[in-house]
Amino acid sequence: MVSPSVVHWFRLDLRIHDNLALRNAINEAENRKHILRPIYVIDPEVKNRIGKNRLRFLIQSLQNLDTNLRKLNTRLYIIKGMATVSLPKVFENWNVKYLSVQVDIDPEYVAQDEVIEKFCEENDIFVVKRVQHTVYDVQGILKKNNGSVPLTYQKFLSLVRDQQVRECIELNKKLSDCCKPEDIESNDYDIPSLEELGIEESCLIECKYQGGETEALNRLNMYMAKKQWVCAFEKPNTSPNSLEPSTTVLSPYISHGCLSAKLFYHKLKQVECGNRHSEPPVSLMGQLMWREFYYTAGAGTKNFDKMVGNSVCTQIPWKKNDAYLQAWAEGKTGYPFVDAIMRQLRQEGWIHHLARHMVACFLTRGDLWVSWEDGAKVFEDLLLDYDWSLNAGNWMWLSASAFFYKYFRVYSPVAFGKKTDKEGMYIRKYVSELKKYPTEFIYEPWKAPKSVQTAAGCTIGVDYPKRIVDHDKIHKENMQKMSAAYKLNKEKKSLKRPRSD
DNA sequence: TTCAGCGTTGCTTAG
DNA sequence: TCTAAGCAACGCTGA
């Protein structure tokens, strides 16, 4: 008979620190003298679902997690295959008695949970699920709001104002040898390389953001040491087109769970304490609260990542246009600022929040009239910090489908970038075809006379695309379409509402 | 039921 | 270099 095991299933909690579910598993293994097996499930076809950069970040995070687990006298076991297929077999082989896991609201995990929990119930495996990916228990917040979703940020803040946030959990005690399995050195459970997953590392550009908990904590501590900077932080005053990020880039670490949102919260509280500091929504704490806001909305709304069947989302008749979508996704719209942003995203996996505003507005209500769902899929592929709730929530915001309604405020692909980068240095970096263009034409190269284009070595329509739409004209037409969609939406709503007369 | 007040981050022009 | 007004006028919250 195989010795009984305790499993902690890592998903979006790729860390040792402040991991309540992991601590539960360790305690359980120690108390019962069972074998502890921390696992991560990876589908060999994963490269078809997530982009190369994010996959590299994930593999680095797993490697770091394994290193940190070994310091605790255990390791990470990689299970290959679909979780719903491979886990039942593995649990039988290992004689698993106890499973701990973090609660994740991404539908992908919710669907897996249903299958795995049913299997566990039928096989007398005790399952412990812990809410630890957010600062607050979003279900509790929804309950406090009478089961409905808070539709404004201010409303959300009022709901969490008096909520206590539990302290972080420290985990540094080494595991007893009796919890170690015999096959701890087996290569059968090693982390696959990028090559094994079908990605040639040589086709990726130099890694700008190294994945993993160790890097996450270093980055957090580096920024928290800059107390004045933290206290003065105001998001709208940071630049979307600086050559190096003007914000912390902690997001990929939080989305993968390399960094605990609660740890970030407590560190921020420490830095703010006793000092004059900026406030939400613009402060750093405010940024963390935006994440909580979208998680609450995502948890409380059916079909949150879709337009149809989504109660918070205004129905807008977007048009399918693969040519526009592709030009946008590849950074070939002919608008240098938009293209620079999309190329930075593709190369580096991260762009500034306001840059996301610019390109999301451009794809949807601003210029191309393509559905936010299509844009969200491209972001899912390319962003290191992809997060189900935040991605859908922000796309709805920018397309004025939910949370934000002033559709007549449209970002200009020419004017917006100039505010923080007059010379167009950011464009020169990411749209290198235009790097020799005179500043006068860097945001509007189609206006450059032929002689200037020739002198700069880049002819518009040959070396760099002609702009695919005329922003000045089309954004006004789109505003009319938005107005019509809102009007229709309002009529439908008033029909649904029961009338007293 | 109604309505004033308000909302992280628009652009352009005039002064 | 900064501020304010005009553009045309949204929905949510709470009294």
Side-chain angles (χ1 to χ4, degrees), chain A residues 46-47 50-59 194 199:
Chain A
V46 66
K47 78 167 165 57
I50 73 173
K52 294 170 191 166
N53 278 328
R54 185 145 66 92
L55 193 51
R56 173 166 67 180
F57 191 94
L58 172 67
I59 295 297
L194 279 176
I199 308 266

Side-chain angles (χ1 to χ4, degrees), chain A residues 105-365:
Chain A
I105 66 167
D106 183 328
E108 182 190 331
Y109 293 115
V110 172
Q112 287 179 5
D113 283 358
E114 277 178 27
V115 177
I116 299 302
E117 279 179 70
K118 188 162 177 272
F119 173 83
C120 289
E121 201 188 317
E122 288 163 0
N123 290 274
D124 285 329
I125 299 171
F126 190 77
V127 180
V128 162
K129 294 180 82 176
R130 295 294 181 198
V131 174
Q132 56 181 27
H133 198 45
T134 43
V135 174
Y136 302 105
D137 170 11
V138 294
Q139 293 298 343
I141 303 300
L142 286 168
K143 216 178 205 174
K144 200 175 168 192
N145 199 37
N146 303 317
S148 65
V149 169
L151 291 170
T152 65
Y153 182 76
Q154 294 303 331
K155 175 73 186 172
F156 170 81
L157 286 186
S158 76
L159 290 168
V160 299
R161 197 148 286 144
D162 56 353
Q163 294 281 308
Q164 288 295 311
V165 179
R166 72 151 168 78
E167 288 303 317
C168 291
I169 292 160
E170 289 299 327
L171 238 181
N172 36 33
K173 214 180 110 211
K174 278 199 170 190
L175 202 72
S176 310
D177 281 337
C178 65
C179 300
K180 262 168 94 169
E182 281 172 9
D183 61 356
I184 192 154
E185 294 305 332
S186 163
N187 293 335
D188 295 348
Y189 305 103
D190 284 354
I191 299 162
S193 64
L194 279 176
E195 277 75 15
E196 285 172 87
L197 294 169
I199 308 266
E200 270 188 55
E201 206 161 357
S202 56
C203 71
L204 290 167
I205 72 152
E206 193 190 341
C207 179
K208 206 163 171 182
Y209 309 105
Q210 172 83 24
E213 176 181 17
T214 304
E215 180 64 24
L217 294 173
N218 286 343
R219 191 170 266 269
L220 176 72
N221 292 332
M222 182 181 82
Y223 278 100
M224 293 303 108
K226 299 199 273 184
K227 291 189 178 167
Q228 269 187 323
W229 183 84
V230 170
C231 289
F233 186 95
E234 291 192 350
K235 188 61 163 279
N237 294 339
T238 59
S239 165
N241 46 8
S242 51
L243 297 185
E244 288 304 319
S246 58
T247 52
T248 65
V249 199
L250 285 169
S251 52
Y253 302 94
I254 298 175
S255 69
H256 285 82
C258 301
L259 176 63
S260 150
K262 278 197 190 73
L263 179 63
F264 188 25
Y265 173 91
H266 286 301
K267 290 270 181 187
L268 276 174
K269 278 277 176 205
Q270 258 174 34
V271 173
E272 288 182 345
C273 185
N275 293 307
R276 227 180 69 171
H277 58 82
S278 52
E279 294 282 352
V282 294
S283 63
L284 263 184
M285 183 62 88
Q287 307 314 300
L288 187 55
M289 291 301 112
W290 278 106
R291 178 174 185 269
E292 300 290 314
F293 169 68
Y294 284 127
Y295 260 85
T296 308
T301 310
K302 270 187 198 150
N303 300 311
F304 190 64
D305 57 349
K306 296 175 185 69
M307 179 176 83
V308 177
N310 178 343
S311 61
V312 303
C313 184
T314 304
Q315 306 296 301
I316 296 166
W318 308 111
K319 249 182 130 174
K320 196 99 198 136
N321 191 326
D322 289 341
Y324 276 1
L325 179 65
Q326 194 183 351
W328 174 84
E330 290 178 359
K332 292 178 182 168
T333 66
Y335 280 95
F337 186 44
V338 172
D339 293 343
I341 294 168
M342 292 308 293
R343 293 186 196 187
Q344 184 190 15
L345 171 61
R346 191 167 288 276
Q347 282 169 37
E348 299 173 9
W350 181 90
I351 49 176
H352 187 278
H353 185 64
L354 290 179
R356 301 179 197 203
H357 277 217
M358 174 69 247
V359 294
C361 180
F362 188 87
L363 180 73
T364 57
R365 66 186 167 88

Side-chain angles (χ1 to χ4, degrees), chain A residues 462-480:
Chain A
V462 179
D463 307 303
Y464 178 74
K466 280 184 183 157
R467 55 186 182 154
I468 54 173
V469 289
D470 178 350
H471 172 78
D472 290 339
K473 199 166 147 255
I474 207 152
H475 90 274
K476 289 202 172 126
E477 291 171 19
N478 289 349
M479 248 188 232
Q480 295 303 315

